[in-house]
Amino acid sequence: MRKVLILALLLCGSAFMAVSQEVDRDRSKYAVNNFADNDIYTMYEPYATVKVNEPDGRKVKNIILMIGDGMGLEQISAAWVCNGGSLNLDNFSKIGIQRTYSANKLVTDSAAAGTALATGHKTNNGMISMNPDSVAVKSLAEEAMEKGKRAGAAVTCRVNDATPSVFFSHSSTRKNQEDIVAQMASSGVYFLSGGGIKYWNDREDGRDITAEIQEKGYSFASTKEELMAVEEGPVVALMAPTELPFALDRDGILPSSVEKALQLLDNKKGFFLMVEGSMIDDGGHDNKAGHTMEEIFDFDRTIGKVLEWAEKDGQTLVIVTGDHATGGMTLLSGSIDQKRIKVNFSTTGHNGICLPVYAWGPHSEDFVGVYENTELSDKIRKLIK
Ligand SMILES: [Zn+2]
């Protein structure tokens, strides 16, 4: 905080800026700029990105699907500018485009988009891995577990929010939170990390599902430190009552959790891991450029960790995409040298643009082209063996 203030004074030389920082403490973390200007952001501490070589082999043993919730190409482009013209995403050379509309809406929500990505079925907004007739459809995680692989998810929202839910439960509505948690707990998930402990142990039905899973042999962690100390799966880590804190208050939980996930999931038969940068979406809904950027940086740092691991492994396919874009963000101006952007938001909701698909590793070339979000899921499913 002090560092941010000094920087603000040095760089802006404006007493007004410093005062506004102090009045608005939490938000000040997201911009050395006056945060009243939600449409501008300057990055003062860019991070180093990794450079990895894609393996030559053809075998896909592990699949890591990374979903930036609310992350469209505008958000990615803006983040690239803010980090001085570099992202870990730059390592990907096989790029596709996916269409995101749901069965009943041109502009999807995370439940329908997640269902499409997880199962290969378009459904109505709000539904969790069921088709529009409320028939359950099999997710990629379930497919992987059927084939003897381990499956997991690491997110920054509550683990029972739409995107993780679609991989480990089925419901006609995303609002059935307690039922979704009960299903996730008995799904066979090997690694699950995020927030939402209150849906597990402070329930209307009186169950304590954190106790139940421990009886079944799961390790349980309620803090990042506890999760880092776990040496054997299966594990469930619920590190906040509901959502985890925003990126700058999260102490790198996502990259650390994913490193732990890779350590625990790795086994002879391989694994399927879904990683979500869940709160890029929140920055879009709130129309805050700084918040959006910091969430993407956290997600991209995690991508860097994943790529370094996958490079060593040599049999891991990594896919990065979004479920929908949020905020109708437009990159209006800025400077790569000054790591600064000015953007416009045109909605506080989601928007309906197509999204990029980044593929890296064996069979990454399968993902080049223009296709439906459901076809992206089908392409991944073919590689789960
Ligand atoms: Zn959203």
Side-chain angles (χ1 to χ4, degrees):
M1 181 63 199
R2 184 174 298 161
K3 208 162 149 199
V4 170
L5 274 175
I6 291 167
L7 265 174
L9 284 167
L10 284 177
L11 292 164
C12 310
S14 155
F16 169 74
M17 292 290 292
V19 168
S20 76
Q21 293 293 312
E22 274 195 320
V23 171
D24 207 353
R25 282 190 74 232
D26 285 334
R27 291 173 172 186
S28 70
K29 287 185 172 178
Y30 289 96
V32 180
N33 311 291
N34 182 345
F35 205 83
D37 296 329
N38 290 327
D39 57 347
I40 58 174
Y41 194 63
T42 303
M43 174 80 155
Y44 286 108
E45 293 179 47
Y47 56 93
T49 53
V50 303
K51 197 95 213 102
V52 290
N53 295 310
E54 213 162 352
D56 296 327
R58 297 287 296 156
K59 184 173 181 215
V60 178
K61 179 182 164 196
N62 309 309
I63 297 174
I64 303 173
L65 173 59
M66 305 183 71
I67 302 173
D69 198 306
M71 185 181 78
L73 198 51
E74 290 278 6
Q75 281 90 346
I76 295 167
S77 306
W80 182 87
V81 172
C82 282
N83 203 41
S86 176
L87 287 177
N88 289 314
L89 266 176
D90 297 342
N91 283 285
F92 293 72
S93 60
K94 313 298 189 314
I95 310 297
I97 298 279
Q98 54 129 328
R99 301 188 192 97
T100 64
Y101 63 90
S102 72
N104 68 333
K105 297 274 186 208
L106 181 64
V107 178
T108 188
D109 78 331
S110 291
T115 296
L117 295 172
T119 73
H121 293 263
K122 296 254 185 197
T123 195
N124 295 339
N125 284 10
M127 298 183 82
I128 300 293
S129 285
M130 284 188 169
N131 70 17
D133 299 325
S134 293
V135 176
V137 278
K138 196 194 297 175
S139 77
L140 297 175
E142 291 165 335
E143 180 86 38
M145 290 189 285
E146 268 181 23
K147 299 259 165 73
K149 291 173 179 285
R150 290 175 178 167
V155 303
T156 58
C157 54
R158 60 187 187 281
V159 297
N160 45 310
D161 201 359
T163 310
S165 295
V166 294
F167 288 89
F168 297 99
S169 70
H170 306 269
S171 183
S172 55
T173 167
R174 61 189 288 173
K175 291 180 189 149
N176 290 338
Q177 293 280 284
E178 291 198 354
D179 177 47
I180 285 168
V181 163
Q183 289 188 50
M184 292 179 104
S186 59
S187 65
V189 62
Y190 195 84
F191 183 99
L192 188 60
S193 75
I197 192 168
K198 93 178 184 78
Y199 299 94
W200 295 62
N201 65 7
D202 183 16
R203 298 164 55 90
E204 277 178 21
D205 63 9
R207 288 171 67 181
D208 179 353
I209 297 185
T210 60
E212 291 176 22
I213 54 165
Q214 289 177 80
E215 275 161 35
K216 283 197 286 186
Y218 277 82
S219 296
F220 177 73
S222 61
T223 63
K224 179 186 164 191
E225 289 67 34
E226 283 175 19
L227 175 58
M228 291 307 113
V230 172
E231 283 301 322
E232 244 177 82
V235 60
V236 172
L238 306 168
M239 299 171 278
T242 56
E243 325 302 323
L244 296 183
F246 291 152
L248 290 178
D249 297 315
R250 210 157 55 218
D251 188 25
I253 284 183
L254 187 65
S256 296
S257 300
V258 167
E259 283 188 296
K260 181 54 76 174
L262 296 172
Q263 178 200 330
L264 299 182
L265 286 167
D266 193 19
N267 76 105
K268 243 194 273 167
K269 288 199 153 173
F271 63 81
F272 172 85
L273 172 65
M274 192 284 289
V275 177
E276 186 192 22
S278 318
M279 293 179 176
I280 301 163
D281 184 54
D282 296 69
H285 282 296
D286 291 346
N287 283 188
K288 294 193 187 311
H291 184 187
T292 306
M293 291 302 101
E294 290 296 342
E295 294 294 342
I296 294 198
F297 299 148
D298 181 66
F299 189 53
D300 187 61
R301 283 190 179 98
T302 309
I303 291 168
K305 300 281 181 204
V306 164
L307 288 177
E308 284 183 316
W309 189 91
E311 182 185 39
K312 272 188 222 132
D313 178 72
Q315 300 184 326
T316 299
L317 170 67
V318 184
I319 307 284
V320 183
T321 190
D323 54 353
H324 53 75
T326 305
M329 193 172 137
T330 310
L331 180 54
L332 295 176
S333 65
S335 159
I336 300 167
D337 287 343
Q338 294 169 24
K339 304 170 185 62
R340 177 168 51 78
I341 53 163
K342 178 175 171 60
V343 303
N344 179 59
F345 291 99
S346 61
T347 173
T348 55
H350 298 169
N351 53 293
I353 195 168
C354 296
L355 299 179
V357 178
Y358 296 80
W360 186 96
H363 277 271
S364 55
E365 69 280 2
D366 297 6
F367 297 85
V368 173
V370 182
Y371 41 80
E372 300 295 323
N373 49 7
T374 48
E375 289 176 72
L376 170 53
S377 184
D378 297 342
K379 288 171 189 288
I380 296 172
R381 192 179 297 261
K382 272 190 204 140
L383 298 169
I384 300 177
K385 288 178 183 134

